[in-house]
């Protein structure tokens, strides 16, 4: 059996964001058709405090992929000059069980997360959206931004906010056009970037808001959000994390990547604990919108929310895209296993 | 990060049974010291009836390894000319979380299972054991036999029984000396092999019995087993499987690789359901014998049983042995990940 082994460096040169977006959409559609599985999470805390988790699952039907991703978080590595986060993903053809590839998991996770935010925004934002507010200027943010610019061609103004270090947003906007071009091959000549100096005022003028912070309290209040706004909330992916006012869920059409998971560990967790939302009252899953089973935005005045907590199938479909592309481009290591 | 990628073919040329045995013993000792983890099993049945499972865990302390093994069982592959069983294992250094290797899981599983049977036999059989009965002549059996011949140098007579196809045992003994030499580099000039023509009579003259069949009912009855006999039971590894008379557990000193797991899915499962044994009344775990915490055989007349159901840590320690050896011998594929 021949597999591809792909390093982070390989993946950076192999994966193109438009292909990743296509894969993410295919998985969301498959999920709405009952063809996506997320198998039980395996977690372990080492005596040293280091963490390990294994996320596994698959997308069947057309996508036809299954596998597992093992992530390590060893904070003590910093002192040893080793990476704190390491992760390996293994992917199998779910029609035959044959292994197809093994690869670094970090870049895959970053790209598919960015793509997810953008797919939600494209499905739910007003088609005439012009102003996008990015809340969070960390390592993950460029992928959300790049994918959203690709999926929302009407966006001509981008405001970047860093709630933890506002000055960081100013440095960020100076280099982001060049970085989007060099790192993701996205041309943003038509987009004006500026740093946020007042989050409330920025929210008030935005059509699309992407949140990707480590916040554990609301950064964006309900009263700041004007009718017609869309929010893709990405930062909250474990209990206790929260980026937007829970009261927003009382007025918004709220969509999940996975309704149960979002209400357990996503942006919907705290609203769910407050009784404002539940897996049964979520407007729908994003895949249902993509296949036309549940209407997304119904009027130009709707506030829409997309909460994405991640699915192993998103990593795996991206891994499949990477392996196919690596084969075509003859990149990465080919190994017998 | 650099890892080794090892195919089944690589592993066959890299792994030596004595090193695998050493690793298995190290894991059993670590288990007795509370340094082995088996994380929750993940299982999935595909719509086609194909099966997938993920076993994960680690051995910490000196062994310092963790990871996961994903196995697929796609019966419909036979028609497609593809392997029915595929499996990939990924191993990480549990002191740093750094990946060390990715490899085919099948040969690793076979070798460590053979080693386990032998480690139990060496710890529990009478030191003057001369006659070994191998019950089961399938693909797995050569690894049990080879490892046991290595660990029990007093064995000079081997009887081979195939309860499903008795004539198969006759063919088996004709070639086994040559196969042990060629496939496992074990010299058996001092051993006389013969096929079993009467299982009861063979049991009655044996000092050590290894069972490795797919049986779901007892093959070996209590009254056939003479005092002083040791049995290593390997075949029963899921509910419903059974190779020896449950009543043997009323007279034997019975050891497990993992007491709870053996009482749930091992040879001890049915005796446990009959109330003859429980995790609390198992004499001990094999690791406790190896570190001297629980006596194994107390008298030359004891009947001893070792029930091995497998631990992910055994695969992982074998994977570590393989990677270290592959590095030394410059074999396998070296890949950036």
């Amino acid at each position: 059996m021949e597999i591809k082994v792909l390093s982070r460096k390989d993946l950076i040169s192999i994966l193109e964001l438009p292909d990743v977006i296509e894969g993410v959409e295919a998985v969301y559609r498959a999920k709405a058709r009952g063809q996506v599985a997320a198998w039980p999470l395996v977690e372990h805390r080492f005596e040293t405090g280091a963490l390990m988790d294994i996320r596994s699952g698959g997308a069947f039907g057309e996508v036809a992929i299954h596998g597992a991703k093992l992530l390590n978080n060893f904070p003590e590595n910093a002192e040893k000059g080793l990476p704190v986060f390491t992760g390996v993903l293994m992917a199998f053809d779910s029609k035959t069980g044959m292994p197809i590839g093994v690869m670094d998991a970090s870049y895959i996770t970053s790209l598919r997360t960015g793509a997810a935010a953008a797919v939600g925004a494209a499905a739910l934002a007003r088609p005439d959206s012009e102003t996008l507010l990015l809340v969070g200027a960390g390592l993950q943010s460029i992928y959300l931004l790049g994918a959203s610019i690709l999926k929302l061609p009407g966006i001509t103004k981008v405001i970047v906010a860093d709630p933890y270090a506002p000055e960081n947003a100013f440095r960020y906007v100076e280099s982001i056009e060049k970085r989007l071009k060099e790192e993701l091959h996205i041309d943003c000549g038509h987009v004006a970037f500026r740093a946020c100096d007042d989050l409330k005022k920025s929210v008030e003028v935005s059509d699309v808001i992407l949140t990707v912070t480590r916040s554990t309290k609301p950064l964006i209040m309900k009263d700041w959000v004007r009718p017609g706004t869309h929010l893709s909330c990405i930062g909250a992916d474990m209990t206790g994390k929260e980026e937007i006012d829970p009261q927003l869920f009382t007025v918004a059409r709220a969509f999940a990547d996975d309704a149960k998971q979002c209400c357990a560990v996503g942006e919907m967790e705290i609203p769910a604990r407050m009784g404002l939302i539940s897996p049964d009252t979520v407007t729908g899953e994003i895949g249902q919108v993509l296949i036309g089973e549940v209407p997304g935005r119904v009027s130009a005045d709707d506030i829409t929310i997309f909460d994405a907590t991640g699915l192993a199938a998103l990593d795996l479909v991206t891994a499949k895209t990477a392996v196919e592309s690596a084969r075509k481009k003859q990149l990465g290591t080919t190994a017998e296993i």
Side-chain angles (χ1 to χ4, degrees), chain A residues 256-273:
Chain A
D257 57 357
D258 179 292
K260 273 190 195 163
Q261 185 170 286
C262 287
C263 287
V265 297
E267 188 62 45
M268 293 178 182
E269 177 218 345
I270 289 161
R273 280 201 269 141

Side-chain angles (χ1 to χ4, degrees), chain A residues 135-212:
Chain A
V135 183
L139 292 175
Q140 179 61 47
S141 63
I142 188 173
Y143 308 105
L144 278 77
L145 188 53
S148 298
I149 287 170
L150 282 176
K151 286 291 286 181
L152 299 160
I155 295 295
T156 52
K157 284 170 267 184
V158 167
I159 311 169
V160 178
D162 187 334
Y164 296 100
E167 69 290 357
N168 184 34
F170 288 85
R171 278 196 304 275
Y172 190 93
V173 296
E174 275 171 30
S175 62
I176 191 64
E177 188 175 340
K178 187 160 171 272
R179 287 185 59 207
L180 284 164
K181 180 83 190 157
E182 288 178 2
E183 297 175 30
L184 299 174
H185 318 129
I186 297 169
D187 204 333
C188 296
H190 62 295
V191 181
F193 294 92
R194 69 173 177 85
C196 164
D197 49 11
D198 183 321
L199 188 56
K200 177 170 182 287
K201 283 187 188 156
S202 298
V203 168
E204 285 167 352
V205 299
S206 294
D207 303 306
V208 175
I209 302 175
L210 311 177
T211 62
V212 59

Side-chain angles (χ1 to χ4, degrees), chain A residues 25 31 87 114 116 122 126 135 148 200 240 266 290 315 329:
Chain A
E25 289 171 334
K31 184 161 196 320
R126 294 192 333 276
V135 183
S148 298
K200 177 170 182 287
L290 296 184
D315 298 302
K329 297 180 183 172

